[in-house]
Amino acid sequence: GTGSSILSALQDLFWLSKSKVEKQLQIISVLQWVLTFLVMGIACTLILMYILCTDCWAIAALYLAWLVFDWNTPKKGGRRSQWVRNWAIWRYFRDYFPIRLVKTHNLLTTRNYIFGYHPHGIMGLGAFCNFSTEATGVGQKFPGIRPYLATLAGNFRMPILRDYLMSGGICPVNRDSIDYILSKNGSGNAIIIVVGGAAESLNCTPGKNSVTLKNRKGFVKLALRHGADLVPVYSFGENEVYKQVIFEEGSWGRWVQKKFQKHIGFAPCIFHGRGLFSSNTWGLLPYSKPITTVVGEPITIPKICNPTQKEVDFYHSMYVDSLIKLFDKYKSKFGLPETEVLEVN
């Protein structure tokens, strides 16, 4: 009896230890992405400049020569790596929150698609995990579909960071890149655009479900020009993982944010999550709140090389209605009350 009791205690201790190790690996995986999002581009640029001033300058010079040669690759679909997309670290990243991808309809491999992702959140964690990695099984759920997450073109001017982003299938959110993927890369492509962008990130806060969409019609025009079907995507919980200081319209804080957004392309947010060692302290780690990304029904879009404003408005209104219906259909399944309304700004 004593021996079996000791063995049982040792087994309990072993599983407790394993659980703790799993949690620490999850924290590390999320921390590396947060640091990548915030400082990797600047850090790599400064390190490269420093190496140019040392005896190892030839290494930096060779990389810069390669950078010039490879400069247009991000505009031509990038250079994705299935090996990187399948890294085990992304599974720990997924399980930290956890993040789930919900498929509602099949996608034909004979068509191209533009996914509108909502809401932006602070860092678009759900968009990255679901479409730039295979952690949630996007390749298995949508066989034959190649997802490209579109982000700020400025990120692809940063050494090393650009290569890291491209390995996950991330591309610049500009017309050249999108035109290439939708017209010269065959069919079965899906470009994920976080439609609300920096403006939407300024208003994200826990408990709020709002999207910046009323005057965002460029993605609809692109879809019409290429005959790419529009797919609404909503991530329940994206706004719950960080707390942000919201500046009122007309305040000095909002003025600074809008200036940054206009001239640089992103808006600086004052936000916080949990600490590295405790969930009761402030830090840069997001809170471990569930994020569930629901991919809605595709809207068939005709190919119109030069769509009129009336045509753009028509399909934009169809898209908005489809997004609202998607939100209303799934909101109660993912923790929201039936009375919750999606605010479209």
Side-chain angles (χ1 to χ4, degrees):
T2 304
S4 62
S5 297
I6 293 173
L7 181 60
S8 177
L10 287 174
Q11 287 176 335
D12 290 343
L13 181 62
F14 171 76
W15 287 113
L16 179 62
S17 176
K18 182 179 179 181
S19 175
K20 287 183 177 179
V21 169
E22 290 269 338
K23 189 61 181 177
Q24 292 306 314
L25 288 173
Q26 292 170 12
I27 289 173
I28 291 170
S29 69
V30 175
L31 178 63
Q32 69 82 27
W33 168 246
V34 170
L35 294 178
T36 296
F37 184 91
L38 295 176
V39 302
M40 184 177 177
I42 295 173
C44 288
T45 302
L46 293 175
I47 291 171
L48 195 66
M49 292 173 62
Y50 171 76
I51 293 174
L52 280 171
C53 301
T54 68
D55 293 338
C56 298
W57 63 270
I59 297 174
L62 284 171
Y63 179 80
L64 288 174
W66 161 254
L67 192 62
V68 172
F69 174 78
D70 195 54
W71 190 253
N72 289 323
T73 298
K75 298 178 183 178
K76 297 180 179 180
R79 189 170 44 247
R80 73 174 57 221
S81 166
Q82 285 301 116
W83 176 65
V84 173
R85 288 175 61 89
N86 281 288
W87 276 353
I89 194 171
W90 306 132
R91 295 193 290 275
Y92 290 112
F93 183 99
R94 171 199 67 197
D95 294 339
Y96 172 85
F97 296 93
I99 296 174
R100 291 175 55 209
L101 179 65
V102 177
K103 169 186 174 180
T104 63
H105 291 78
N106 292 324
L107 299 181
L108 299 175
T109 57
T110 55
R111 300 285 294 173
N112 284 323
Y113 301 90
I114 293 180
F115 287 19
Y117 183 92
H118 313 269
H120 183 287
I122 295 292
M123 296 185 186
L125 294 164
F128 169 77
C129 185
N130 285 307
F131 301 111
S132 294
T133 81
E134 293 296 330
T136 56
V138 64
Q140 288 74 41
K141 291 177 179 177
F142 300 103
I145 301 297
R146 293 181 298 276
Y148 294 86
L149 177 61
T151 188
L152 289 175
N155 289 324
F156 297 89
R157 302 187 187 102
M158 303 283 189
I160 310 300
L161 175 63
R162 68 189 292 278
D163 302 289
Y164 188 40
L165 295 178
M166 282 194 292
S167 68
I170 300 177
C171 68
V173 61
N174 58 33
R175 180 169 172 175
D176 289 343
S177 177
I178 294 172
D179 283 346
Y180 183 91
I181 293 171
L182 295 180
S183 64
K184 298 180 181 179
N185 203 40
S187 60
N189 302 292
I191 297 179
I192 297 88
I193 300 176
V194 186
V195 178
E200 191 172 85
S201 69
L202 297 179
N203 296 313
C204 69
T205 187
K208 186 173 184 179
N209 288 283
S210 66
V211 296
T212 301
L213 182 57
K214 278 184 179 178
N215 297 315
R216 299 294 175 106
K217 300 180 181 180
F219 73 106
V220 178
K221 190 172 183 179
L222 281 170
L224 285 164
R225 289 180 64 244
H226 294 284
D229 294 348
L230 289 171
V231 182
V233 180
Y234 197 86
S235 255
F236 295 89
E238 184 73 62
N239 284 345
E240 307 300 314
V241 296
Y242 279 110
K243 295 178 181 178
Q244 180 183 189
V245 176
I246 304 293
F247 292 101
E248 296 294 330
E249 290 291 339
S251 66
W252 67 269
R254 184 52 65 100
W255 180 84
V256 170
Q257 289 176 323
K258 287 188 174 181
K259 286 294 182 182
F260 265 83
Q261 178 190 337
K262 180 179 179 180
H263 297 292
I264 301 179
F266 75 93
C269 303
I270 299 178
F271 65 93
H272 74 85
R274 53 155 289 182
L276 182 60
F277 301 106
S278 172
S279 59
N280 296 320
T281 58
W282 287 12
L284 289 176
L285 279 177
Y287 293 105
S288 52
K289 302 288 187 180
I291 299 175
T292 305
T293 302
V294 184
V295 180
E297 182 178 4
I299 303 168
T300 302
I301 302 294
K303 185 174 181 178
I304 305 174
C305 293
N306 293 296
T308 64
Q309 189 59 50
K310 185 177 180 180
E311 290 168 330
V312 172
D313 291 343
F314 174 75
Y315 286 101
H316 180 268
S317 65
M318 283 183 63
Y319 178 86
V320 173
D321 290 343
S322 183
L323 178 65
I324 293 172
K325 288 177 182 177
L326 180 71
F327 178 85
D328 289 339
K329 182 176 179 179
Y330 288 94
K331 60 186 177 183
S332 61
K333 295 181 181 180
F334 303 119
L336 298 178
E338 282 290 346
T339 55
E340 184 72 18
V341 176
L342 179 63
E343 181 183 332
V344 179
N345 299 313

